[in-house]
């Protein structure tokens, strides 16, 4: 790989993907246990509460970490101001959550909700107190340190939720787990970075120029991500909301979640390459190809194996989540690609373009989603989300092209090969399922065998297509180079 920016993206993404892999393994274990100890209504109740908290939190989310990453130079005044803004915002958000607890219970007609929200009011306060010094992990591309920070925080949350669930057997296990996770985050942030912030506001105007736009974008992004919590919760109740969220969560585990680490790693790289248009464009296209190589087969596999995944992982009481998972798998893959475009707009300091794109997308999202659920139910709403995402993908490509200057054929080239390979793999797995070639009912071993077969099929299809295309530079070459580098390290003498 000739582009050093692409190399650093792969290295950073490898650390973040490693964390995501461990995180999702722990998440799967949690789901396997929690879905058997709790009922869908428990998950729906927590989704209602966290949706309201997240909505209020948007108005205090200044994304000062992104502002610090985008700046060429920062000093202690910038760090102290950023931390002070976070602390103040966390205190205000916590107070607003308390004020809105009772009205939220009336909105959802859920009498348990006010007490739950009062317990969650402490979480924004804790988040605001987190040591701002950890921003250097990303700014200095020190993703190994960020990996350790995120992993330790996740492990503490994991080992607190499961015992609580075994003991309490209700939604309070989830709520207390969220609180313990916030406490762990604050303690670890001060333990893992030596910087000690102090109260200051001297650089507030400098930071707020960028952050004020991000507040608006965060609000729009929240509506895009969490609007089902309000729509479904209000119109169909906590049980249906729990089913919808579980299907969406499983889809995001192996589609959109794969893109998160890549976007996290590529943002500081793209920001550092703004002055070099050629390298900027190369890094973006290479990263787009890598994202496609990972998310397309994940979406196709989820759609094909949704039935056995839900049956084996969650149990019979979650069967209604199967069609949701099938639809949201495709939605997750598309939003993963769109997310990389949004990251490029942030890196090139174009948050205004990002806001406009997201605003139009969400407006269509909400109108179509409400009409769909009224007319045809929860599955129709999920399908409407997928259709809106597909229709907006070209606008994403066009807007990013204005900033980076790539050719449309370059995007088609890096996306077409993994898309075709994923379609072939998904069709093969669907054929297996429809013809009942495996003994029913499914068990863990059978599901693992089907997943393994999908990996082998996709790898074979993708490799064949890539070779037939004369091995062009793209996601395949990046992944191959990373695997070869890993093998050399394993074989190297200690």
């Amino acid at each position: 790989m000739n582009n050093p920016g692409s190399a650093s993206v792969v290295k950073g993404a490898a650390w973040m993907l490693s964390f995501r892999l461990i995180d999702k393994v722990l998440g799967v274990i949690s789901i396997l246990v929690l879905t058997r100890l709790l009922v869908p209504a428990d998950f729906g109740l927590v989704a209602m509460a966290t949706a309201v908290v997240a909505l209020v939190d948007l108005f205090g989310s200044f994304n000062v970490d992104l502002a610090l990453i985008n700046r060429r130079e920062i000093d202690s005044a910038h760090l102290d101001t950023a931390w002070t803004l976070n602390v103040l915002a966390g205190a205000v958000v916590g107070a607003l959550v308390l004020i809105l607890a009772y009205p939220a219970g009336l909105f959802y007609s859920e009498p348990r909700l006010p007490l739950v929200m009062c317990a969650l009011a402490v979480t924004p306060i804790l988040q605001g107190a987190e040591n701002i010094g950890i921003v250097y992990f990303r700014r200095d591309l020190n993703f190994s340190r960020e990996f350790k920070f995120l992993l330790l925080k996740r492990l503490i949350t994991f080992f607190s939720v499961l015992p609580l669930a075994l003991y309490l057997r209700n939604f309070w296990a989830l709520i207390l787990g969220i609180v313990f996770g916030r406490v762990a985050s604050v303690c670890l942030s001060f333990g893992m970075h030596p910087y000690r912030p102090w109260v200051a506001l001297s650089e507030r105007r400098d930071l707020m120029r960028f952050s004020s736009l991000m507040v608006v974008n965060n609000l729009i992004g929240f509506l895009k991500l969490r609007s089902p919590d309000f729509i479904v919760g209000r119109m169909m109740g906590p049980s249906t909301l729990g089913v919808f969220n579980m299907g969406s969560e499983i889809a995001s585990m192996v589609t959109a979640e794969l893109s998160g680490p890549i976007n996290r790693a590529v943002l500081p790289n793209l920001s550092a390459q703004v002055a070099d248009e050629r390298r900027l464009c190369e890094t973006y296209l290479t990263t787009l190809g890598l994202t496609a190589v990972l998310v397309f087969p994940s979406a196709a596999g989820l759609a094909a194996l949704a039935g056995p995944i839900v049956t084996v992982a969650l149990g019979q009481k979650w069967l209604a989540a199967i069609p949701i998972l099938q639809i949201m798998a495709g939605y997750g893959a598309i939003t993963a690609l769109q997310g990389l475009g949004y990251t490029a707009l942030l890196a090139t300091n174009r948050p205004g373009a990002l806001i406009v794109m997201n605003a139009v997308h969400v407006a269509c999202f909400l109108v179509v989603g409400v009409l769909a659920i009224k007319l045809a139910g929860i599955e129709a709403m999920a399908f409407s989300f997928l259709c809106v995402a597909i229709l907006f993908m070209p606008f994403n490509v066009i807007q990013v092209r204005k900033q980076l200057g790539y050719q449309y054929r370059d995007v088609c080239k890096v996306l077409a090969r993994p898309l075709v390979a994923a379609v072939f793999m998904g069709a093969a797995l669907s054929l297996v399922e429809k013809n009942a070639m495996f003994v029913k009912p499914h068990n863990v071993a059978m599901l693992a065998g089907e997943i393994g077969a999908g990996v082998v099929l996709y790898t074979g299809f993708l490799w064949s297509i890539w070779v037939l295309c004369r091995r062009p530079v793209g996601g395949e070459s990046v992944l191959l180079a990373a695997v070869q580098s890993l093998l050399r390290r394993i074989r190297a003498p200690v």
Side-chain angles (χ1 to χ4, degrees):
M1 218 169 14
N2 296 325
N3 187 350
S6 298
S8 58
V9 168
V10 172
K11 185 177 180 180
W15 278 111
M16 291 298 98
L17 283 171
S18 298
F19 165 72
R20 289 292 190 183
L21 177 61
I22 297 172
D23 180 51
K24 291 311 166 185
V25 169
L26 296 176
V28 168
I29 296 173
S30 296
I31 287 176
L32 291 175
V33 176
L34 295 175
T35 52
R36 284 162 172 77
L37 296 176
L38 309 178
V39 296
D42 289 328
F43 290 92
L45 176 63
V46 175
M48 290 175 177
T50 54
V52 177
V53 174
L55 176 59
V56 178
D57 189 48
L58 286 174
F59 298 98
S61 297
F62 299 124
N63 287 108
V64 290
D65 57 333
L66 297 181
L68 294 174
I69 290 173
N70 275 2
R71 283 189 60 85
R72 295 287 181 89
E73 297 180 2
I74 60 173
D75 55 26
S76 60
H78 290 97
L79 293 171
D80 291 344
T81 300
W83 181 77
T84 303
L85 289 173
N86 283 341
V87 170
L88 293 174
V92 171
V93 170
L96 288 175
V97 170
L98 289 174
I99 293 172
L100 291 175
Y102 182 71
L106 295 177
F107 174 80
Y108 283 114
S109 300
E110 176 53 70
R112 299 171 296 176
L113 191 59
L115 187 58
V116 171
M117 288 185 59
C118 289
L120 288 176
V122 71
T123 57
I125 300 173
L126 292 169
Q127 183 176 355
E130 190 175 273
N131 185 8
I132 194 64
I134 61 173
V135 76
Y136 278 110
F137 294 162
R138 294 176 67 190
R139 183 177 171 85
D140 297 339
L141 306 181
N142 191 352
F143 291 103
S144 61
R145 293 283 291 171
E146 184 169 24
F147 169 82
K148 295 175 184 177
F149 170 71
L150 295 173
L151 178 59
L152 287 173
K153 181 170 65 173
R154 183 66 176 92
L155 288 173
I156 292 172
T157 303
F158 176 78
F159 286 111
S160 62
V161 169
L162 292 188
L164 286 168
L166 288 169
Y167 178 72
L168 298 173
R169 301 297 180 101
N170 61 34
F171 57 87
W172 282 112
L174 302 176
I175 299 300
L176 293 176
I178 294 172
V179 175
F180 288 164
R182 293 291 193 217
V183 173
S185 181
V186 174
C187 296
L188 288 171
S189 68
F190 281 92
M192 295 187 66
H193 198 280
Y195 189 79
R196 293 297 176 261
W198 192 245
V199 177
L201 290 171
S202 59
E203 301 297 330
R204 64 187 183 280
R205 292 182 180 177
D206 187 18
L207 294 177
M208 290 302 293
R209 277 197 294 268
F210 178 89
S211 299
S212 58
L213 287 175
M214 293 309 300
V215 170
V216 178
N217 182 67
N218 289 340
L219 175 59
I220 297 171
F222 171 84
L223 293 175
K224 183 178 179 181
L225 180 65
R226 301 298 296 269
S227 57
D229 292 344
F230 295 98
I231 298 172
V232 181
R234 172 70 174 176
M235 299 178 67
M236 307 195 75
S239 294
T240 303
L241 176 58
V243 169
F244 181 86
N245 278 359
M246 186 59 66
S248 301
E249 174 67 19
I250 296 175
S252 69
M253 279 185 178
V254 285
T255 52
E257 285 292 338
L258 282 172
S259 67
I262 297 175
N263 290 341
R264 194 174 183 89
V266 78
L267 176 59
N269 280 275
L270 292 177
S271 297
Q273 296 173 12
V274 170
D276 189 337
E277 293 184 0
R278 183 184 64 81
R279 281 185 58 196
L280 181 68
C281 186
E282 287 179 358
T283 300
Y284 173 77
L285 289 173
T286 302
T287 309
L288 181 66
L290 177 62
T291 303
V293 165
L294 295 174
V295 301
F296 282 162
S298 301
L302 280 172
L305 301 178
I309 288 173
V310 171
T311 302
V312 173
L314 306 182
Q316 296 294 318
K317 62 184 177 182
W318 292 91
L319 292 180
I322 292 175
I324 304 299
L325 173 56
Q326 291 174 321
I327 298 169
M328 297 305 287
Y331 172 80
I334 294 172
T335 53
L337 299 179
Q338 291 176 337
L340 182 60
Y342 298 152
T343 301
L345 293 175
L346 284 177
T348 54
N349 200 25
R350 298 293 187 276
L354 173 58
I355 290 173
V356 171
M357 289 175 59
N358 262 333
V360 177
H361 191 163
V362 169
C364 297
F365 207 64
L366 294 175
V367 172
V368 175
V370 170
L371 290 175
I373 196 172
K374 280 187 175 181
L375 296 175
I378 192 70
E379 294 176 23
M381 189 184 79
F383 186 72
S384 71
F385 285 1
L386 173 61
C387 292
V388 171
I390 293 172
L391 290 174
F392 270 84
M393 189 64 193
F395 294 100
N396 182 285
V397 174
I398 293 170
Q399 191 63 242
V400 177
R401 181 182 181 274
K402 292 179 180 179
Q403 308 304 326
L404 303 187
Y406 54 69
Q407 299 297 316
Y408 293 124
R409 63 175 178 272
D410 295 330
V411 175
C412 294
K413 287 177 181 178
V414 299
L415 296 182
R417 296 186 301 271
L419 178 60
V420 172
V423 169
F424 281 142
M425 181 268 288
L429 290 179
S430 295
L431 186 63
V432 169
E433 280 299 303
K434 287 181 179 179
N435 288 278
M437 293 177 66
F438 288 96
V439 179
K440 308 290 176 137
H442 277 78
N443 56 37
V444 174
M446 292 176 182
L447 179 59
E450 289 180 306
I451 294 174
V455 172
V456 172
L457 286 171
Y458 175 72
T459 303
F461 286 138
L462 182 62
W463 176 267
S464 301
I465 296 170
W466 185 57
V467 171
L468 288 174
C469 293
R470 300 182 179 180
R471 307 188 183 210
V473 175
E476 304 92 338
S477 59
V478 170
L479 202 56
L480 179 61
V483 171
Q484 290 174 338
S485 176
L486 178 62
L487 292 177
R488 284 194 296 269
R489 291 185 180 183
I490 294 174
R491 293 172 182 172
V494 179

